[in-house]
Amino acid sequence: MSAPGTAAESGTAPQPDRSPAAHFATTDSLSAYWRFYWAVAGAQLARWLPRSPGRILDLSSPDFRGAQRATTAGHDVVTLLPSAEMTRRRQLTLINGHAPRPPRGSPGRLRQVVGETMFLSSFGSDVFDGVLADNRILSRHLATEASLTEIARVLRPGGRTLLCVDSVVLGMALLAEQDCWPELSHAPSADVLLVPWPDGSITRCFTAEQLTELLTEAGLEPEWIKPRTVLSASTVETMMAKGDPQALNRLVEMELKATDSDDYVGVHLIASARKPG
């Protein structure tokens, strides 16, 4: 029901005037729901990561914590950063006196590279064992077909990708809140659903069937597609408010079992696909 972003992990104050759908599309507080959301994302990534150490490319934006989790699991990770973000991090390094590094004791290595996450021209073909495209990065790349083709190119035969996109459920909620009723009436059957956001940006939303088709056309074999979360925010907030220290772990276990079904009701879809070979 939302999109990842560091604001949720940095404790930025919430914006009370935000619409319900937009609230679930941008994490901006350390609420009980978002702690739950990120715990689920971490558990899903841990399940997906290859058991043997390999080379992982992370396209999920500098705010996503998947790279750190992967290095802790023993993988060598290349994180692709836009030039503006790399400049900011270098400035922080000068101020703080040290560069970002993997967690202490991490068996893997983390390397940051400046580049464009849509076109991976800096990398050769067949060089990565896995590609992380989480944090809705492919929904913000409106030419998703081109991005998936590049992901397929840089993957080694047998390599896999894990991705997260906005679903048509979220797109329709946003259209309804903006009174875009003509667009909303065509949304379920649209070949490509582009949704404007209050901040002027545009996101591309998908059904599970559309995502399957795009992965296949890019030369990838879909392994599974499921919602990131199906438990409602109200359910999570209510259970977390009871003060049970085990509530979060129990909710995550419930969510992982629930999302093993074929029910695509979530506002975010996650998918795993494999390059043949």
Side-chain angles (χ1 to χ4, degrees), residues 87-111:
T87 300
R88 186 185 73 83
R89 294 196 173 201
R90 286 172 178 166
Q91 292 172 343
L92 289 176
T93 299
L94 292 175
I95 295 172
N96 299 328
H98 60 82
R101 57 178 62 90
R104 180 176 297 178
S106 172
R109 294 179 298 174
L110 178 61
R111 186 158 61 100

Side-chain angles (χ1 to χ4, degrees), residues 221-261:
E221 297 176 347
E223 296 180 311
W224 47 259
I225 299 175
K226 62 182 72 174
R228 164 136 286 169
T229 62
V230 295
L231 294 179
S232 68
S234 59
T235 298
V236 172
E237 299 278 354
T238 298
M239 294 187 68
M240 294 282 283
K242 294 180 179 180
D244 181 356
Q246 297 300 317
L248 178 59
N249 290 336
R250 289 170 180 157
L251 284 166
V252 172
E253 290 177 4
M254 290 171 57
E255 184 64 69
L256 293 177
K257 292 179 180 178
T259 53
D260 280 340
S261 69

Side-chain angles (χ1 to χ4, degrees), residues 137-154:
I137 192 70
L138 295 181
S139 277
R140 296 195 291 271
H141 288 176
L142 303 186
T144 311
E145 295 85 349
S147 298
L148 286 174
T149 298
E150 281 292 275
I151 289 173
R153 181 183 65 80
V154 301

Side-chain angles (χ1 to χ4, degrees), residues 49-119:
L49 284 170
R51 293 185 179 181
S52 300
R55 181 181 296 175
I56 306 291
L57 176 62
D58 179 27
L59 310 177
S60 308
S61 89
D63 299 337
F64 189 62
R65 290 186 174 179
Q68 287 78 6
R69 292 189 178 102
T71 54
T72 300
H75 302 281
D76 292 338
V77 181
V78 177
T79 298
L80 206 55
L81 301 177
S83 57
E85 176 62 22
M86 184 62 83
T87 300
R88 186 185 73 83
R89 294 196 173 201
R90 286 172 178 166
Q91 292 172 343
L92 289 176
T93 299
L94 292 175
I95 295 172
N96 299 328
H98 60 82
R101 57 178 62 90
R104 180 176 297 178
S106 172
R109 294 179 298 174
L110 178 61
R111 186 158 61 100
Q112 297 172 340
V113 176
V114 174
E116 170 56 53
T117 56
M118 182 180 295
F119 301 109

